[in-house]
Coordinates of all heavy atoms in Angstrom, one line a residue:
M241 N 0.9 -1.2 0.0 CA 0.0 -0.1 0.0 C 0.9 1.3 0.0 O 1.7 1.4 0.9 CB -0.9 0.0 1.3 CG -1.8 1.3 1.3 SD -2.8 1.3 2.8 CE -1.6 1.5 4.0
P242 N 0.7 2.1 -1.0 CA 1.6 3.4 -1.1 C 1.2 4.2 0.1 O 0.0 4.3 0.5 CB 1.1 4.0 -2.3 CG 0.5 3.0 -3.1 CD -0.2 2.0 -2.2
I243 N 2.3 4.8 0.7 CA 2.1 5.9 1.7 C 2.3 7.2 1.1 O 3.3 7.4 0.4 CB 3.0 5.7 2.8 CG1 2.8 4.3 3.5 CG2 2.9 6.7 3.9 CD1 3.8 3.9 4.6
R244 N 1.5 8.2 1.2 CA 1.6 9.4 0.6 C 1.7 10.6 1.6 O 1.4 10.4 2.8 CB 0.4 9.7 -0.3 CG 0.1 8.7 -1.3 CD -1.0 9.0 -2.2 NE -1.2 8.0 -3.2 CZ -1.9 6.8 -3.1 NH1 -2.6 6.6 -2.0 NH2 -2.0 5.9 -4.0
L245 N 2.1 11.8 1.1 CA 2.1 12.9 2.0 C 0.6 13.2 2.4 O -0.3 13.1 1.5 CB 2.6 14.1 1.2 CG 4.2 14.0 1.0 CD1 4.6 15.1 0.0 CD2 5.0 14.1 2.3
A246 N 0.5 13.8 3.6 CA -0.9 14.1 4.0 C -1.4 15.3 3.3 O -0.7 16.3 3.0 CB -0.9 14.3 5.5
T247 N -2.7 15.3 3.0 CA -3.3 16.5 2.3 C -3.9 17.4 3.5 O -5.0 17.7 3.6 CB -4.3 16.2 1.4 OG1 -5.4 15.3 2.1 CG2 -3.8 15.4 0.2
S248 N -2.9 17.8 4.4 CA -3.3 18.6 5.5 C -2.8 20.0 5.4 O -2.0 20.3 4.6 CB -2.8 17.9 6.9 OG -1.4 18.0 6.8
C249 N -3.3 20.9 6.3 CA -2.8 22.2 6.2 C -1.3 22.4 6.2 O -0.8 23.4 5.7 CB -3.5 23.0 7.4 SG -5.3 23.0 7.4
S250 N -0.6 21.6 7.0 CA 0.8 21.7 7.0 C 1.5 21.5 5.8 O 2.7 22.0 5.6 CB 1.4 20.7 8.1 OG 1.1 19.4 7.6
N251 N 0.9 20.9 4.7 CA 1.5 20.8 3.4 C 0.8 21.7 2.4 O 1.0 21.5 1.2 CB 1.5 19.4 3.0 CG 2.4 18.5 3.8 OD1 3.4 19.0 4.3 ND2 1.9 17.2 4.0
C252 N 0.1 22.6 2.8 CA -0.8 23.4 1.9 C -0.2 24.7 1.5 O 0.5 25.4 2.5 CB -2.2 23.6 2.5 SG -3.3 24.6 1.5
N253 N -0.2 25.2 0.3 CA 0.2 26.5 -0.2 C -0.5 27.7 0.6 O 0.1 28.7 0.6 CB -0.2 26.7 -1.6 CG 0.9 26.1 -2.5 OD1 2.1 26.2 -2.2 ND2 0.5 25.6 -3.6
N254 N -1.6 27.4 1.1 CA -2.4 28.6 1.8 C -2.0 28.8 3.3 O -2.6 29.7 3.9 CB -3.9 28.3 1.6 CG -4.4 28.3 0.2 OD1 -3.8 29.2 -0.5 ND2 -5.1 27.3 -0.2
L255 N -1.1 28.0 3.7 CA -0.6 28.2 5.1 C 0.4 29.2 5.2 O 1.4 29.2 4.5 CB -0.1 26.8 5.7 CG 0.2 26.8 7.2 CD1 -1.0 26.9 8.0 CD2 1.0 25.6 7.6
S256 N 0.2 30.2 6.1 CA 1.3 31.3 6.2 C 1.8 31.2 7.6 O 1.4 30.3 8.4 CB 0.6 32.5 5.9 OG -0.3 32.9 7.0
G257 N 2.6 32.1 8.0 CA 3.3 32.2 9.3 C 2.3 32.2 10.4 O 1.1 32.8 10.2
G258 N 2.6 31.7 11.6 CA 1.6 31.6 12.7 C 0.5 30.6 12.5 O -0.6 30.8 13.2
N259 N 0.7 29.7 11.6 CA -0.3 28.7 11.3 C -1.7 29.3 10.9 O -2.8 28.8 11.3 CB -0.6 27.8 12.6 CG 0.6 26.8 12.7 OD1 1.3 26.5 11.7 ND2 0.8 26.2 13.8
T260 N -1.6 30.3 10.1 CA -2.8 31.1 9.7 C -3.1 30.6 8.3 O -2.3 30.6 7.3 CB -2.7 32.5 9.8 OG1 -2.4 33.0 11.1 CG2 -3.9 33.3 9.3
C261 N -4.4 30.2 8.0 CA -4.8 29.9 6.6 C -5.2 31.2 6.0 O -6.0 31.9 6.4 CB -6.1 29.0 6.7 SG -6.8 28.8 5.1
T262 N -4.5 31.4 4.9 CA -4.8 32.7 4.1 C -6.0 32.7 3.3 O -6.7 33.8 2.9 CB -3.5 33.2 3.1 OG1 -3.4 32.0 2.3 CG2 -2.3 33.4 3.8
Q263 N -6.6 31.5 3.1 CA -7.8 31.3 2.4 C -9.0 31.7 3.3 O -9.9 32.3 2.9 CB -7.9 29.9 1.9 CG -9.1 29.6 1.0 CD -8.9 29.8 -0.4 OE1 -7.8 30.1 -0.9 NE2 -10.0 29.7 -1.2
H264 N -9.0 31.1 4.5 CA -10.1 31.2 5.4 C -9.9 32.1 6.5 O -10.9 32.4 7.3 CB -10.4 29.8 6.0 CG -10.7 28.8 4.9 ND1 -11.9 28.9 4.1 CD2 -10.1 27.7 4.5 CE1 -11.8 27.8 3.3 NE2 -10.8 27.1 3.5
K265 N -8.7 32.7 6.6 CA -8.3 33.7 7.7 C -8.6 33.1 9.2 O -9.1 33.7 10.0 CB -9.2 35.0 7.5 CG -9.2 35.5 6.1 CD -7.8 36.0 5.7 CE -8.0 36.7 4.2 NZ -7.0 36.4 3.4
I266 N -8.3 31.9 9.3 CA -8.3 31.3 10.6 C -7.1 30.5 11.0 O -6.3 30.2 10.1 CB -9.6 30.3 10.7 CG1 -9.4 29.2 9.7 CG2 -10.9 31.0 10.6 CD1 -10.3 28.0 9.8
Q267 N -6.9 30.2 12.3 CA -5.7 29.4 12.7 C -6.0 27.9 12.5 O -7.2 27.4 12.7 CB -5.5 29.5 14.2 CG -5.1 31.0 14.5 CD -3.6 31.0 14.9 OE1 -3.2 30.3 15.8 NE2 -2.8 31.7 14.2
V268 N -5.1 27.1 11.9 CA -5.3 25.8 11.6 C -4.0 25.1 12.1 O -3.1 25.6 12.7 CB -5.4 25.6 10.1 CG1 -6.7 26.2 9.6 CG2 -4.2 26.2 9.3
S269 N -4.0 23.8 11.8 CA -3.0 22.9 12.3 C -2.8 21.7 11.4 O -3.5 21.6 10.5 CB -3.2 22.4 13.7 OG -4.0 21.3 13.7
E270 N -1.8 20.9 11.6 CA -1.6 19.7 10.8 C -2.8 18.7 10.8 O -2.8 17.8 10.0 CB -0.3 19.0 11.0 CG -0.3 18.2 12.4 CD -0.1 19.1 13.7 OE1 0.1 20.4 13.5 OE2 -0.3 18.6 14.7
R271 N -3.7 18.9 11.7 CA -4.8 18.0 11.9 C -6.0 18.4 11.0 O -7.0 17.7 10.9 CB -5.3 18.0 13.4 CG -4.3 17.3 14.3 CD -4.8 17.3 15.7 NE -5.0 18.7 16.1 CZ -5.8 19.2 17.0 NH1 -6.7 18.3 17.7 NH2 -5.9 20.4 17.4
H272 N -5.8 19.6 10.3 CA -7.0 20.1 9.6 C -6.6 20.0 8.1 O -5.5 20.0 7.6 CB -7.2 21.6 9.9 CG -7.6 21.8 11.3 ND1 -6.6 22.4 12.3 CD2 -8.7 21.6 11.9 CE1 -7.3 22.4 13.4 NE2 -8.6 22.0 13.3
T273 N -7.7 20.0 7.2 CA -7.6 20.2 5.8 C -9.0 20.7 5.4 O -10.0 20.9 6.1 CB -7.3 18.8 5.2 OG1 -7.0 19.0 3.8 CG2 -8.5 17.8 5.3
C274 N -9.1 21.0 4.0 CA -10.4 21.4 3.5 C -10.3 21.2 2.0 O -9.4 20.8 1.4 CB -10.6 22.9 3.8 SG -9.8 24.1 2.8
D275 N -11.4 21.5 1.3 CA -11.5 21.4 -0.1 C -10.6 22.3 -0.9 O -10.4 22.1 -2.2 CB -13.0 21.5 -0.6 CG -13.9 20.4 -0.1 OD1 -13.4 19.3 0.3 OD2 -15.1 20.5 -0.1
S276 N -10.1 23.3 -0.3 CA -9.2 24.3 -1.0 C -7.8 23.8 -0.9 O -6.9 24.6 -1.3 CB -9.4 25.7 -0.5 OG -10.8 26.2 -0.6
F277 N -7.5 22.6 -0.3 CA -6.1 22.2 -0.1 C -5.4 22.3 -1.5 O -5.9 22.0 -2.5 CB -6.1 20.8 0.4 CG -4.7 20.2 0.4 CD1 -3.9 20.5 1.4 CD2 -4.2 19.4 -0.6 CE1 -2.5 20.0 1.5 CE2 -3.0 18.9 -0.7 CZ -2.1 19.2 0.4
S278 N -4.1 22.8 -1.3 CA -3.2 22.9 -2.6 C -1.9 22.6 -2.2 O -1.2 23.3 -1.4 CB -3.3 24.5 -3.0 OG -2.3 24.6 -4.0
M279 N -1.4 21.4 -2.6 CA -0.1 20.8 -2.3 C 1.1 21.8 -2.6 O 1.1 22.3 -3.7 CB 0.2 19.5 -2.9 CG 1.5 18.9 -2.5 SD 1.6 18.3 -0.8 CE 0.8 16.8 -0.9
Q280 N 1.9 22.1 -1.7 CA 3.1 23.0 -1.9 C 3.9 22.4 -3.0 O 4.2 21.2 -3.1 CB 3.9 23.1 -0.7 CG 3.3 23.8 0.6 CD 4.1 23.8 1.8 OE1 5.4 23.5 1.7 NE2 3.5 24.1 2.9
E281 N 4.3 23.3 -4.0 CA 5.0 22.8 -5.1 C 6.4 22.2 -4.7 O 6.7 21.2 -5.4 CB 5.5 24.1 -6.0 CG 4.1 24.6 -6.7 CD 3.5 23.6 -7.6 OE1 4.3 22.9 -8.3 OE2 2.2 23.6 -7.7
A282 N 7.0 22.7 -3.7 CA 8.4 22.0 -3.3 C 8.1 20.6 -2.9 O 9.0 19.8 -3.1 CB 8.8 22.8 -2.1
L283 N 7.0 20.2 -2.3 CA 6.7 18.9 -1.8 C 6.2 18.0 -3.0 O 6.7 17.0 -3.3 CB 5.6 18.9 -0.8 CG 6.0 19.5 0.5 CD1 4.8 19.7 1.4 CD2 7.2 18.8 1.2
K284 N 5.4 18.6 -3.9 CA 4.9 17.9 -5.0 C 5.9 17.5 -6.0 O 5.9 16.4 -6.6 CB 3.8 18.9 -5.8 CG 3.0 18.1 -6.7 CD 2.1 19.0 -7.6 CE 1.4 20.2 -6.8 NZ 0.6 21.0 -7.8
N285 N 7.0 18.4 -6.2 CA 8.0 18.1 -7.2 C 9.2 17.5 -6.5 O 10.3 17.4 -7.2 CB 8.5 19.5 -7.8 CG 7.3 20.1 -8.6 OD1 6.5 19.3 -9.1 ND2 7.3 21.4 -8.7
N286 N 9.1 17.0 -5.4 CA 10.3 16.4 -4.6 C 10.0 15.0 -4.3 O 10.7 14.5 -3.3 CB 10.6 17.3 -3.4 CG 12.1 17.1 -2.9 OD1 12.9 16.7 -3.8 ND2 12.3 17.3 -1.7
M287 N 9.2 14.3 -5.1 CA 9.0 12.9 -4.7 C 9.8 12.1 -5.7 O 9.6 11.9 -6.9 CB 7.5 12.5 -5.0 CG 6.6 13.2 -3.9 SD 4.9 13.0 -4.3 CE 4.7 11.3 -4.2
N288 N 10.9 11.5 -5.2 CA 11.8 10.6 -5.9 C 12.5 9.7 -4.9 O 12.4 9.9 -3.7 CB 12.8 11.5 -6.7 CG 13.6 12.4 -5.8 OD1 14.3 12.1 -4.9 ND2 13.5 13.7 -6.2
C289 N 13.3 8.7 -5.4 CA 14.0 7.8 -4.5 C 14.9 8.7 -3.4 O 15.0 8.1 -2.3 CB 14.9 7.0 -5.3 SG 13.9 5.9 -6.4
G290 N 15.4 9.7 -3.8 CA 16.2 10.4 -2.9 C 15.6 11.0 -1.7 O 16.2 11.2 -0.7
T291 N 14.2 11.2 -1.8 CA 13.4 11.6 -0.7 C 12.6 10.5 -0.1 O 11.6 10.7 0.8 CB 12.5 12.8 -1.1 OG1 11.7 12.3 -2.1 CG2 13.4 14.0 -1.5
C292 N 12.9 9.3 -0.5 CA 12.0 8.1 -0.1 C 12.7 7.4 1.1 O 13.9 7.2 1.1 CB 11.9 7.2 -1.2 SG 11.0 5.6 -0.8
T293 N 11.9 7.2 2.1 CA 12.5 6.5 3.3 C 12.9 5.1 3.1 O 13.7 4.6 3.8 CB 11.4 6.6 4.5 OG1 12.0 6.3 5.7 CG2 10.3 5.6 4.2
R294 N 12.4 4.5 2.0 CA 12.9 3.1 1.6 C 14.2 3.0 0.8 O 14.6 1.9 0.6 CB 11.7 2.5 0.8 CG 10.4 2.3 1.5 CD 9.4 1.4 0.8 NE 8.4 1.1 1.8 CZ 7.2 1.5 1.7 NH1 6.8 2.4 0.9 NH2 6.3 1.1 2.7
F295 N 14.7 4.2 0.4 CA 15.8 4.2 -0.4 C 17.0 3.5 0.3 O 17.3 3.8 1.4 CB 16.2 5.6 -0.8 CG 17.3 5.7 -1.9 CD1 17.3 4.9 -3.0 CD2 18.3 6.7 -1.8 CE1 18.2 5.0 -4.0 CE2 19.2 6.8 -2.8 CZ 19.2 6.0 -3.9
N296 N 17.6 2.6 -0.4 CA 18.8 1.8 0.1 C 18.4 1.0 1.3 O 19.3 0.8 2.2 CB 20.0 2.8 0.4 CG 20.7 3.2 -0.8 OD1 20.8 2.4 -1.8 ND2 21.3 4.3 -0.7
T297 N 17.3 0.6 1.4 CA 16.8 -0.3 2.5 C 16.1 -1.6 1.9 O 15.8 -1.7 0.8 CB 15.8 0.2 3.5 OG1 14.5 0.4 2.8 CG2 16.3 1.7 3.9
S298 N 16.0 -2.6 2.7 CA 15.3 -3.8 2.3 C 14.0 -3.7 1.8 O 13.3 -4.5 1.4 CB 15.6 -5.0 3.3 OG 15.1 -4.6 4.6
D299 N 13.4 -2.5 2.3 CA 11.8 -2.2 2.0 C 11.6 -1.8 0.6 O 10.5 -1.7 0.3 CB 11.4 -1.2 3.1 CG 11.3 -1.7 4.5 OD1 11.2 -3.0 4.6 OD2 11.3 -0.9 5.3
C300 N 12.7 -1.4 -0.1 CA 12.6 -0.9 -1.4 C 12.3 -2.1 -2.4 O 13.1 -3.0 -2.4 CB 13.7 -0.1 -1.9 SG 13.8 0.4 -3.6
P301 N 11.2 -2.0 -3.1 CA 10.8 -3.1 -4.0 C 11.6 -3.2 -5.3 O 11.6 -4.1 -6.1 CB 9.4 -2.9 -4.4 CG 9.2 -1.5 -4.2 CD 10.1 -1.1 -3.1
H302 N 12.4 -2.1 -5.7 CA 13.2 -2.0 -6.9 C 14.6 -1.6 -6.5 O 15.1 -0.6 -7.1 CB 12.6 -1.0 -7.8 CG 11.1 -1.2 -8.0 ND1 10.5 -2.2 -8.7 CD2 10.1 -0.4 -7.5 CE1 9.3 -2.1 -8.8 NE2 8.9 -1.1 -8.0
P303 N 15.4 -2.2 -5.8 CA 16.7 -1.8 -5.4 C 17.7 -1.7 -6.5 O 18.6 -0.9 -6.4 CB 17.1 -2.9 -4.3 CG 16.3 -4.2 -4.7 CD 15.0 -3.5 -5.2
Q304 N 17.4 -2.5 -7.6 CA 18.4 -2.4 -8.7 C 18.2 -1.2 -9.6 O 19.0 -0.6 -10.3 CB 18.3 -3.6 -9.6 CG 18.4 -4.9 -8.8 CD 19.8 -5.0 -8.2 OE1 20.8 -4.6 -8.8 NE2 19.8 -5.5 -6.9
K305 N 16.9 -0.6 -9.4 CA 16.6 0.6 -10.4 C 16.5 1.9 -9.6 O 16.5 2.9 -10.1 CB 15.2 0.3 -11.0 CG 15.1 -0.9 -11.9 CD 13.8 -1.1 -12.5 CE 13.7 -2.3 -13.3 NZ 12.3 -2.5 -13.8
A306 N 16.4 1.8 -8.2 CA 16.2 3.1 -7.5 C 17.3 4.1 -7.8 O 18.5 3.7 -7.8 CB 16.2 2.7 -6.0
S307 N 17.0 5.2 -8.0 CA 18.0 6.3 -8.2 C 17.3 7.7 -7.9 O 16.1 7.7 -7.8 CB 18.6 6.3 -9.6 OG 17.6 6.8 -10.5
A308 N 18.1 8.8 -7.8 CA 17.6 10.0 -7.5 C 16.5 10.5 -8.5 O 15.7 11.4 -8.1 CB 18.8 11.0 -7.5
E309 N 16.6 10.0 -9.7 CA 15.6 10.4 -10.8 C 14.3 9.6 -10.9 O 13.5 9.8 -11.6 CB 16.3 10.5 -12.1 CG 17.3 11.5 -12.2 CD 18.7 10.9 -11.7 OE1 18.9 9.8 -11.7 OE2 19.5 11.8 -11.2
M310 N 14.3 8.5 -10.0 CA 13.2 7.6 -10.2 C 12.1 7.8 -9.1 O 12.4 8.4 -8.0 CB 13.8 6.2 -10.2 CG 12.8 5.1 -10.7 SD 13.5 3.4 -10.5 CE 12.0 2.5 -10.0
L311 N 11.0 7.2 -9.4 CA 10.0 7.2 -8.4 C 9.1 6.1 -8.6 O 8.8 5.6 -9.8 CB 9.1 8.5 -8.5 CG 7.8 8.6 -7.7 CD1 8.1 8.7 -6.2 CD2 6.9 9.8 -8.1
C312 N 8.5 5.4 -7.6 CA 7.6 4.2 -7.8 C 6.4 4.4 -6.8 O 6.4 5.3 -6.0 CB 8.3 2.9 -7.7 SG 8.4 2.3 -5.9
S313 N 5.4 3.6 -7.0 CA 4.2 3.7 -6.2 C 4.4 3.3 -4.7 O 3.5 3.5 -3.9 CB 3.1 2.8 -6.8 OG 3.5 1.5 -6.8
S314 N 5.6 2.9 -4.5 CA 5.9 2.5 -3.0 C 6.6 3.6 -2.2 O 7.0 3.5 -1.1 CB 6.8 1.2 -2.9 OG 6.0 0.1 -3.4
W315 N 6.8 4.7 -3.0 CA 7.4 5.9 -2.3 C 6.8 6.3 -1.0 O 5.5 6.2 -0.8 CB 7.3 7.1 -3.2 CG 8.0 8.3 -2.7 CD1 9.4 8.7 -2.8 CD2 7.5 9.4 -1.9 NE1 9.6 9.8 -2.2 CE2 8.5 10.3 -1.6 CE3 6.1 9.7 -1.4 CZ2 8.3 11.5 -0.9 CZ3 6.0 10.8 -0.6 CH2 7.0 11.8 -0.4
A316 N 7.6 6.5 -0.1 CA 7.1 6.9 1.3 C 7.9 8.1 1.9 O 9.2 8.1 1.7 CB 7.2 5.7 2.4
P317 N 7.3 9.0 2.4 CA 8.1 10.3 2.8 C 8.9 10.0 4.0 O 8.7 9.2 4.9 CB 7.0 11.2 3.1 CG 5.8 10.4 3.5 CD 6.0 9.3 2.7
K318 N 10.1 10.7 4.0 CA 11.0 10.6 5.2 C 10.4 11.4 6.3 O 9.7 12.5 6.0 CB 12.4 11.2 4.8 CG 13.3 10.3 4.0 CD 14.5 10.9 3.6 CE 15.4 10.0 2.8 NZ 16.8 10.6 2.5
A319 N 10.6 10.9 7.5 CA 10.1 11.6 8.7 C 10.9 13.0 8.7 O 12.1 13.1 8.5 CB 10.3 10.9 10.0
V320 N 10.1 14.1 9.0 CA 10.7 15.4 9.2 C 10.6 15.8 10.6 O 9.5 15.9 11.2 CB 10.0 16.5 8.3 CG1 10.6 17.8 8.5 CG2 10.2 16.0 6.9
A321 N 11.8 16.1 11.3 CA 11.7 16.5 12.6 C 11.2 17.8 12.9 O 11.3 18.8 12.0 CB 13.0 16.4 13.3
Ligands
SF4_129 S1 -7.8 25.2 5.6 FE1 -7.6 24.5 3.5 S2 -6.8 26.1 2.4 FE2 -6.4 26.6 4.5 S3 -4.4 25.8 5.0 FE3 -5.9 24.1 5.4 S4 -6.0 22.9 3.5 FE4 -5.1 24.9 3.0
SF4_130 S1 12.1 2.5 -6.1 FE1 10.3 3.2 -4.9 S2 10.4 2.4 -2.9 FE2 12.5 2.3 -3.8 S3 13.5 4.1 -3.2 FE3 12.5 4.6 -5.1 S4 10.5 5.4 -4.6 FE4 11.3 4.4 -2.8

């Protein structure tokens, strides 16, 4: 089962400083989302083996093909502290 980035406010283009949603003018958190969710470009365009938590591990289903330019349906985001 593929694991994907959450479509939550924390990954949304409309989140500004102070956890304020610029669309709805309210305070939000990573627990919220809405129909206006818009994935941040930096996250959308950064899905590849280099950002996959399975890269170079036994959990990668394509160890012979995995490279920084590749992506497969088993991609899983690395934990961010
Ligand atoms: S409430 Fe909707 S538009 Fe606002 S930050 Fe969250 S997901 Fe984005
Ligand atoms: S091949 Fe798939 S699972 Fe393996 S590192 Fe690349 S994206 Fe991750």
Side-chain angles (χ1 to χ4, degrees):
M241 178 181 69
I243 298 174
R244 301 183 180 89
L245 290 171
T247 54
S248 68
C249 297
S250 59
N251 293 330
C252 180
N253 272 322
N254 296 317
L255 185 68
S256 70
N259 285 339
T260 301
C261 169
T262 57
Q263 182 89 8
H264 303 290
K265 316 290 188 218
I266 58 169
Q267 292 257 299
V268 292
S269 77
E270 72 282 352
R271 292 178 297 153
H272 300 104
T273 191
C274 80
D275 291 343
S276 300
F277 173 82
S278 169
M279 181 68 81
Q280 293 175 15
E281 291 299 319
L283 296 173
K284 195 190 315 182
N285 296 330
N286 200 26
M287 292 171 65
N288 54 57
C289 295
T291 59
C292 177
T293 194
R294 294 192 166 102
F295 192 39
N296 283 332
T297 74
S298 58
D299 291 335
C300 174
H302 310 288
Q304 305 303 318
K305 297 179 181 175
S307 70
E309 297 80 30
M310 194 181 144
L311 172 65
C312 86
S313 60
S314 295
W315 181 86
K318 288 181 178 175
V320 177

